[in-house]
Amino acid sequence: MKILMVLLALLCISAGTPFESINYLRDTSGTLTIDKVKNTSFHTTTSDNLGTENGIYWFKIDGITADREILELKSSHVNNLALYDSSGKELNIMKDTRFPSYFLIKRNLEFPLYLKANFPVEAYFPIHHSDESSFASREKRSLLSIGFFYGTAIALIVAILVFYFIVRNTQFLFFAFLVLAVLLSILTKDNVLYLFGITNNTSISLEIFGHYLVGLSATGFMMFYLQVRPHQMWIKYAMLALSTLSTIFLITYLISHNIIGFIGVDITCIVTVILMWVLMLMIAKGARKLILIGVYSINILFLADYFLLHIFNLSFINYTPAQVAVAASFNFTLIAILLLVSFKNIQRKSVLMKHKLMLHVKEIKELSAYKNVQDADDNYMESLIYQYKLENMEVRILNDISKGLSNEMIALKHSLSDDKLQQLTSSLYSKLGLDNGTDLKDLSF
């Protein structure tokens, strides 16, 4: 529990750039130009997230402190940016940055500056400007943390696939699918794809698809690996219904790019994960149940904040990319431990199955050998009966004599008198052409 508390504390620590007041203007019609904007009054906000009031915004930057600074808009849900100075000159956006950025040289600009941006999801505009050295230092730390995280995630996926090819257990493919879904969600939210020239429109679509896959993986885990009892079937049907609804929301967003579709996917995803959590708690027992309560509570808290609450400006975790990496790495570490335990159980079961199989093969061989001997005896007996025209009682006596039974035992066994037994044995001697009982015993079958 101490580890969980430390992790929660790390998630709740704010390490972002201190917020500065922002002068903004919402362009509800989408028709404002730089000339009109310069003559329009701007509003001041002390929040960089206006929630679902998405659309086109203009921002006014009165000035910069240093002679050379970098202006960043650290949002992954933004497109169609344009930056102008007061003369109407448009500035070029920087290349090879993780977030949309502009290089500002104080002597070459007429202030104030006007930034135009479109926010298709939530109106989140963390605008920061810093000197070159601070920007470079911050970028190095950020890229180092996310590089470590993605390297760990890729290594885990490779390890999972290796486990799968070794034991051929589809459970490992499920784990790989889950890690890939989480990785895609965080990759797009971190705006890493922008660093490689992929537009934010494509990145947002991939992000919501990653959220959808997380919910789908929860449903798949329930369907294939959790034994749903009769009184728990309502959870199964609810998760299937949510997955269907999530698919409809996803298609709606990809076609119309409406925020309702985006929010719908996130809500159904989180509720699906919660239902899976409830089902696992109903199945789990003892110490494992307490561990699951702690781990999944943090997971759901993180998913709700990271996926959904931020859109409504209800976020209560001021996370940074490094903190996101810590939370996701914790989950991936948990998955790796589960994989190792599962792999160990599979090996143990494999050894037991091999041992049982060897015993089964041995039994089959013994039964086969007995059957071969018995078949040979039966065939030999049938040939004697057919060749010498033996009667039923003569066959029984012949069988008992071949087993070494005495006359007294044979007579008692078949309720025969000594005279009757003597007659039957004499008849056998005559039919088989034998002189005495010793020769009769040699007819072993």
Side-chain angles (χ1 to χ4, degrees), residues 191-429:
N191 220 40
V192 175
L193 298 181
Y194 182 82
L195 184 63
F196 298 97
I198 298 177
T199 63
N200 275 344
N201 285 335
T202 302
S203 181
I204 293 171
S205 297
L206 289 175
E207 178 187 342
I208 195 61
F209 184 67
H211 297 182
Y212 168 77
L213 291 181
V214 171
L216 192 65
S217 64
T219 302
F221 183 78
M222 180 273 302
M223 291 290 293
F224 294 104
Y225 299 107
L226 294 181
Q227 295 181 350
V228 182
R229 298 179 178 88
H231 67 280
Q232 300 166 346
M233 292 301 291
W234 67 271
I235 297 181
K236 176 180 179 180
Y237 296 134
M239 292 181 70
L240 289 173
L242 286 169
S243 294
T244 302
L245 190 60
S246 182
T247 303
I248 296 173
F249 279 126
L250 176 66
I251 295 173
T252 301
Y253 178 78
L254 294 179
I255 293 175
S256 65
H257 294 286
N258 191 296
I259 190 175
I260 299 299
F262 195 101
I263 295 173
V265 172
D266 281 347
I267 292 176
T268 53
C269 166
I270 294 169
V271 175
T272 301
V273 173
I274 291 174
L275 287 176
M276 185 190 71
W277 175 69
V278 171
L279 182 58
M280 293 184 69
L281 292 183
M282 293 172 68
I283 295 174
K285 298 179 180 179
R288 184 181 179 185
K289 187 171 186 176
L290 296 177
I291 294 174
L292 287 174
I293 289 175
V295 172
Y296 278 95
S297 295
I298 292 179
N299 287 351
I300 293 171
L301 175 70
F302 174 76
L303 287 176
D305 187 272
Y306 196 66
F307 283 7
L308 185 62
L309 296 182
H310 190 265
I311 297 176
F312 294 96
N313 193 23
L314 298 174
S315 178
F316 51 86
I317 300 176
N318 294 317
Y319 50 80
T320 66
Q323 292 162 359
V324 172
V326 168
S329 297
F330 176 81
N331 281 273
F332 290 165
T333 301
L334 177 64
I335 291 175
I337 293 173
L338 293 174
L339 281 175
L340 292 175
V341 172
S342 179
F343 184 66
K344 184 177 180 181
N345 290 336
I346 289 174
Q347 284 185 316
R348 180 175 57 82
K349 291 179 181 179
S350 178
V351 171
L352 292 175
M353 289 179 64
K354 287 181 180 179
H355 180 67
K356 291 180 179 179
L357 184 60
M358 291 175 63
L359 292 177
H360 186 61
V361 170
K362 185 178 179 181
E363 291 176 358
I364 291 176
K365 287 182 178 179
E366 291 177 352
L367 290 173
S368 178
Y370 173 79
K371 185 177 184 300
N372 291 336
V373 172
Q374 188 64 41
D375 289 344
D377 291 345
D378 292 343
N379 291 333
Y380 183 56
M381 177 67 77
E382 289 177 2
S383 66
L384 287 177
I385 295 172
Y386 178 79
Q387 182 177 355
Y388 298 105
K389 298 180 180 179
L390 301 180
E391 296 179 0
N392 184 39
M393 185 55 71
E394 291 174 339
V395 172
R396 295 181 182 180
I397 292 173
L398 177 60
N399 187 36
D400 291 338
I401 293 174
S402 68
K403 293 179 180 179
L405 298 181
S406 64
N407 288 345
E408 291 79 2
M409 294 179 64
I410 294 173
L412 181 62
K413 179 179 179 181
H414 300 291
S415 301
L416 299 173
S417 63
D418 293 339
D419 292 339
K420 184 61 176 179
L421 180 60
Q422 185 63 34
Q423 292 176 7
L424 291 172
T425 53
S426 297
S427 176
L428 277 173
Y429 297 153

Side-chain angles (χ1 to χ4, degrees), residues 100-156:
S101 304
Y102 292 90
F103 184 46
L104 307 180
I105 301 177
K106 194 172 187 178
R107 65 176 182 273
N108 295 337
L109 300 173
E110 292 185 21
F111 290 91
L113 306 178
Y114 298 92
L115 175 64
K116 178 184 179 181
N118 177 47
F119 301 92
V121 184
E122 80 273 40
Y124 176 55
F125 36 79
I127 300 173
H128 303 288
H129 49 89
S130 57
D131 60 76
E132 290 180 272
S133 60
S134 299
F135 172 80
S137 176
R138 188 169 59 252
E139 281 292 287
K140 287 180 181 179
R141 290 196 304 269
S142 177
L143 292 175
L144 179 63
S145 63
I146 64 175
F148 173 78
F149 162 68
Y150 293 118
T152 303
I154 292 172
L156 180 59

Side-chain angles (χ1 to χ4, degrees), residues 23-29 31-44 57-62 112-114:
N23 299 315
Y24 77 95
L25 173 65
R26 187 178 183 185
D27 185 1
T28 54
S29 64
T31 59
L32 292 179
T33 63
I34 179 64
D35 294 328
K36 292 181 180 179
V37 166
K38 288 192 294 184
N39 300 316
T40 306
S41 299
F42 279 73
H43 308 285
T44 301
Y57 281 79
W58 287 84
F59 304 97
K60 183 179 179 181
I61 297 96
D62 292 322
L113 306 178
Y114 298 92

